[in-house]
Amino acid sequence: MTDEEILHEFRASEALLEGHFKLSSGRHSGHYLQCARVLMNPERAGRLAFALAQKIPRDIRSQIDVVVSPAMGGIIIGQEMGRALGKDAMFLERPEGTFHLRRGFRLEAGAKVLMVEDVVTTGLSSREAIAAVGREGGEVIAEVALVDRSNGEADLGVPFFPLVDINFPTYAEGEIPDELAAIDVTKPGSRKA
């Protein structure tokens, strides 16, 4: 898939939102990619996962034992990546603030894990999820994401293969431009988003 074909999938599913959003990183943006919308159609989700699987170098792909993704945003694309790669897929949760496996999921000692995210902005959530896999006995050998919003700057500590780079500006709390500050802020995942 070309970048334009990928962006077409986001536009066609109304997954590219405009307004004032406070991202999970704490930064603010005038744009938000609601990946749940682009993934709500199983056929589209499968196409995107297949294209994402093609981004992983063959030598890394051949080592993957299992796919792990952080809840909530990574669950659907993680499941579809498991299907595309022919591997089991499980997800991490953090009901008390720290990621861990629940629901009977477990990793074999030394399991080679592909971490799957929907969007990476600063990489903080990814690094927390990667650390959780280590605590659970696995080893993350690479990460993939539908979208890299970090402008290539996210350091995850493992090879990173995004499907597409989309670099909308983001702002720290004290740097929000007046025109953005004038718009009511929405926290993605809330009822407004």
Side-chain angles (χ1 to χ4, degrees), residues 151-193:
N151 202 22
E153 294 180 9
D155 179 7
L156 308 180
V158 297
F160 177 45
F161 307 101
L163 184 58
V164 68
D165 296 300
I166 299 176
N167 299 309
F168 299 121
T170 64
Y171 308 95
E173 196 70 41
E175 302 171 345
I176 303 169
D178 292 341
E179 60 274 7
L180 188 58
I183 302 169
D184 288 339
V185 67
T186 299
K187 174 78 172 126
S190 70
R191 292 191 174 153
K192 291 183 187 176

Side-chain angles (χ1 to χ4, degrees), residues 63-136:
Q63 295 177 54
I64 298 168
D65 294 318
V66 65
V67 170
V68 175
S69 56
M72 242 343 256
I75 292 177
I76 296 171
I77 191 60
Q79 180 69 30
E80 290 298 328
M81 284 300 295
R83 182 189 321 272
L85 296 169
K87 302 294 180 183
D88 285 343
M90 57 186 79
F91 54 89
L92 297 158
E93 297 176 80
R94 55 174 163 194
E96 292 89 34
T98 303
F99 279 125
H100 59 275
L101 293 173
R102 299 177 64 200
R103 304 176 194 275
F105 291 144
R106 64 184 174 283
L107 294 171
E108 296 295 324
K112 304 294 187 212
V113 174
L114 175 68
M115 183 63 63
V116 180
E117 276 271 25
D118 55 350
V119 178
V120 170
T121 302
T122 65
L124 176 60
S125 177
S126 293
R127 288 188 300 275
E128 291 172 350
I130 289 167
V133 166
R135 289 191 305 274
E136 299 282 351

